[in-house]
Amino acid sequence: MKASSNSVLSPRMGGHILVDQLIAQGVKHVFCVPGESYLAVLDGLHDAAIQVTVCRQEGGAAMMADAHGKLTGEPGICMVTRGPGASNALAGVHIAMQDSTPMILFVGQIERGMREREAFQEMDYRAVFGTQAKWVTEIDQVDRIPEIISRAFHVATSGRPGPVVIALPEDMLVEYTEAADAPHYDVIDSAPTAAQLDTLAQQLANAKRPIAILGGTRWNQAAVDQFAEFATRYQLPVAVQFRRQMLFSVDHPSFIGDVGLGGNPELMAYIKDADLILLVGGRMSEIASQSYTLLDIPVPSQTLVHVYPDAGELNRVYRADLAINVSPASFAQAVATLQPSQPAAWSADLDRIRASYLAWTDPQTITHPGTLQMGQVMSYLRSALPDDAIMCNGAGNYATWLHRFHRFTRYGTQLAPTSGSMGYGLPAAVGAKRIDPSKTVICFAGDGCFMMHGQEFATAVQYQLPIIVILIDNGMYGTIRMHQELHYPARLSATALQNPDFAAYALAFGGHGERVETTEQFAPAFERAIASQKPAILHCLIDPETISPSTTLEKIRQKALAAQA
């Protein structure tokens, strides 16, 4: 409700006004590491109806905020202190930028009168974050807090979503003003025109080998359902981009796989030979495009329909035959009116590539060195986990087991950084469980990945969040070792790790921990972890040779040595 011009407002302190703006914008969760530079905001949170999660490192707090943004579509809120705190948080801001996740980072700042003297922990936030956020600003006047917070929510959510960084001078936060609250933000969107829909319908009618590729953000459950109905009517083959697997159910007869790292070669060949690509919500950047090889640049050989919510991205890399500047949700709602004019000419191709996908993702066919067989682990998890379990991971070869073999069937069940950031899985799992304690939340992590933000296990224990960490330990930075063997075979350098007993690590924090060395040990250990109702780590030791589901380090090494001979 807008304040009347005759209203009499009581003066409020800046830190409290900021918290009031968060409440006015619908914020229910804040992830933070406290600092003296924003004590006034912390005081405002004391009596506020906002759940505060105190984290152990600012990078973890920012990643939890990113997870919130991914799951809800609303900006995740992170608060950190100046200098080192803000520097740590940059990892999470980079994820939010590359992943198109709405997020707002508040940073405590030095007093305004101390600027440009290199005061204690002073940083120029516009310079430091300027290339890594949609907008970076500093609030100099206390009465502008409502205006700037309102703008931040609009910037973070409209067009291509992303992070906003706001610096808060500590002396500004203790000043008083009578400024009125801003109204709740509205996400800006539009709809496809009738002419665009007619063109799309004609392109589909003329196609012989089409494919839809889904990615990006600004989806919701209704949009996912509507697009699935559209795909059913057209028998349209559908793939998803790297780490966007929750956008289309693997059980749908049109689903043919994900376009990412270690993808199905038959799927990649199908895309290259397609005559129509309907790209919805995604950018087809480096990973999804297989290092920019699937589509020619700037003009793809395939007819390209690109649906994206930000006009600045359309025709930036790929020149589209039809560019539609709307969100995926708006597009999915609009295509609900489209009906095919004839039977699909590509039914046989769909059946073939769908069968190829099912064979490619069958874990029962996978064996590798060692007593703990990850294919069998993934097969067990398929049967043991509920459909709405939230699967989280960071970066590393271990994630291939999850991306290739887990069956994502529900929206809102995947948290993974398309930016390839290590250390993301654990804070994302903590954030997800904090947002919705009723959900089963699983974190997949490699030994190197886990240690990037392993201290956030303490946050899970503090808030009694019974996440389960499946920690896959091969004693190395596996992805780097794989590339090392490929390019510099038999010359091991800087990739070996000496790890702790991760089960004991869990116990030390007050959680549940078990060591798993064989396939037979995994299922009972997992069931005990669930029954413990504590945050849990299953320390899974796999043979170092098991670098991926399809090869070993020795095979990579020998192939590389042979090529050099």
Side-chain angles (χ1 to χ4, degrees):
M1 181 180 295
K2 294 183 179 180
S4 166
S5 59
N6 296 322
S7 298
V8 178
L9 300 173
S10 299
R12 293 173 291 170
M13 186 169 65
H16 289 211
I17 292 175
L18 189 147
V19 173
D20 289 344
Q21 302 321 298
L22 297 182
I23 293 171
Q25 301 305 328
V27 170
K28 297 180 176 61
H29 301 269
V30 166
F31 301 93
C32 76
V33 175
E36 67 270 24
S37 56
Y38 69 100
L39 283 174
V41 178
L42 295 175
D43 186 72
L45 288 168
H46 183 274
D47 301 313
I50 294 178
Q51 186 183 67
V52 178
T53 302
V54 181
C55 307
R56 300 308 176 101
Q57 206 257 18
E58 292 85 358
M63 291 174 192
M64 291 181 201
D66 174 89
H68 178 283
K70 282 183 168 66
L71 289 176
T72 67
E74 300 171 353
I77 306 299
C78 180
M79 295 182 178
V80 302
T81 196
R82 63 201 186 202
S87 300
N88 286 338
L90 180 57
V93 173
H94 179 262
I95 293 169
M97 189 66 182
Q98 289 222 324
D99 288 21
S100 305
T101 308
M103 185 177 84
I104 301 175
L105 173 69
F106 292 96
V107 182
Q109 171 64 306
I110 62 169
E111 294 182 10
R112 289 165 290 183
M114 296 184 181
R115 288 176 180 151
E116 298 188 17
R117 294 174 176 169
E118 196 177 346
F120 182 61
Q121 299 180 340
E122 180 178 0
M123 289 176 68
D124 180 343
Y125 294 103
R126 289 184 177 92
V128 172
F129 288 92
T131 63
Q132 297 302 312
K134 288 189 70 177
W135 181 41
V136 185
T137 192
E138 189 161 325
I139 304 180
D140 284 338
Q141 299 168 258
V142 66
D143 56 2
R144 294 192 65 186
I145 290 176
E147 169 202 343
I148 290 175
I149 299 303
S150 175
R151 178 179 170 184
F153 275 83
H154 283 92
V155 171
T157 56
S158 298
R160 175 186 171 183
V164 170
V165 179
I166 302 177
L168 307 169
E170 59 180 316
D171 57 323
M172 180 276 298
L173 291 174
V174 296
E175 292 181 348
Y176 282 76
T177 183
E178 296 178 355
D181 296 341
H184 193 280
Y185 72 100
D186 293 311
V187 180
I188 306 302
D189 205 354
S190 57
T193 66
Q196 288 172 330
L197 293 175
D198 288 345
T199 300
L200 174 60
Q202 189 59 52
Q203 288 170 326
L204 286 167
N206 295 337
K208 303 299 181 186
R209 193 179 169 91
I211 183 172
I213 304 176
L214 312 184
T217 54
R218 294 192 65 177
W219 292 85
N220 53 43
Q221 185 63 63
V224 168
D225 293 342
Q226 288 164 342
F227 196 89
E229 293 168 4
F230 167 70
T232 299
R233 291 195 303 276
Y234 277 86
Q235 291 185 271
L236 183 64
V238 179
V240 291
Q241 286 193 29
F242 180 56
R243 294 180 170 173
R244 303 293 191 186
Q245 290 163 278
M246 68 179 188
L247 297 181
F248 202 83
S249 171
V250 301
D251 291 339
H252 194 288
S254 286
F255 185 71
I256 58 174
D258 66 294
V259 187
L261 295 170
N264 181 356
E266 289 194 40
L267 173 59
M268 305 310 162
Y270 184 89
I271 295 171
K272 281 191 172 184
D273 292 340
D275 62 356
L276 172 63
I277 294 178
L278 174 57
L279 178 58
V280 184
R283 299 186 297 120
M284 282 299 279
S285 56
E286 180 185 353
I287 301 302
S289 68
Q290 310 298 291
S291 297
Y292 299 102
T293 62
L294 288 183
L295 283 72
D296 293 338
I297 297 173
V299 182
S301 59
Q302 310 93 333
T303 297
L304 176 63
V305 178
H306 194 179
V307 180
Y308 201 76
D310 195 321
E313 186 64 33
L314 293 168
N315 295 323
R316 185 169 76 93
V317 179
Y318 307 105
R319 181 64 183 266
D321 296 271
L322 177 60
I324 304 177
N325 182 204
V326 301
S327 71
S330 177
F331 179 78
Q333 184 178 29
V335 295
T337 63
L338 294 186
Q339 296 289 339
S341 58
Q342 59 199 30
W346 48 83
S347 297
D349 278 338
L350 174 57
D351 292 342
R352 176 182 58 80
I353 198 67
R354 169 72 176 169
S356 174
Y357 160 74
L358 293 173
W360 177 256
T361 59
D362 181 3
Q364 299 288 346
T365 64
I366 303 297
T367 59
H368 56 76
T371 57
L372 178 58
Q373 293 291 309
M374 286 303 301
Q376 298 301 311
V377 168
M378 297 311 301
S379 181
Y380 165 77
L381 290 174
R382 276 190 188 180
S383 64
L385 291 174
D387 289 343
D388 64 351
I390 300 174
M391 310 300 285
C392 312
N393 65 271
N397 270 34
Y398 72 87
T400 303
W401 296 103
L402 176 60
H403 296 333
R404 178 170 167 180
F405 299 110
H406 184 67
R407 296 291 176 89
F408 289 93
T409 61
R410 299 278 191 91
Y411 179 74
T413 58
Q414 184 178 31
L415 290 172
T418 68
S419 67
S421 181
M422 293 180 69
Y424 181 84
L426 180 61
V430 173
K433 193 71 172 177
R434 187 74 161 140
I435 295 165
D436 190 347
S438 69
K439 294 288 180 66
T440 299
V441 179
I442 307 296
C443 166
F444 265 70
D447 46 339
C449 187
F450 178 85
M451 290 298 285
M452 296 284 181
H453 284 292
Q455 68 269 35
E456 299 303 345
F457 192 80
T459 307
V461 172
Q462 177 170 342
Y463 294 101
Q464 300 178 32
L465 305 173
I467 62 172
I468 297 180
V469 180
I470 298 174
L471 199 158
I472 302 169
D473 180 0
N474 62 359
M476 67 179 79
Y477 287 120
T479 303
I480 311 307
R481 174 70 180 277
M482 177 183 71
H483 289 289
Q484 197 169 65
E485 295 287 8
L486 181 63
H487 299 288
Y488 304 95
R491 293 178 60 81
L492 176 62
S493 177
T495 51
L497 297 174
Q498 181 173 327
N499 288 318
D501 180 340
F502 288 110
Y505 180 100
L507 295 173
F509 280 100
H512 178 86
E514 295 199 36
R515 186 179 178 92
V516 178
E517 299 184 54
T518 69
T519 306
E520 294 73 24
Q521 291 173 344
F522 183 84
F526 185 86
E527 290 164 9
R528 287 190 292 269
I530 291 285
S532 75
Q533 287 297 297
K534 294 180 179 181
I537 295 176
L538 300 183
H539 184 184
C540 301
L541 288 94
I542 65 170
D543 192 302
E545 278 295 310
T546 305
I547 201 63
S548 81
S550 55
T551 192
T552 64
L553 284 176
E554 181 63 24
K555 289 179 181 178
I556 294 172
R557 184 183 308 118
Q558 292 304 321
K559 184 177 180 179
L561 288 170
Q564 291 181 0

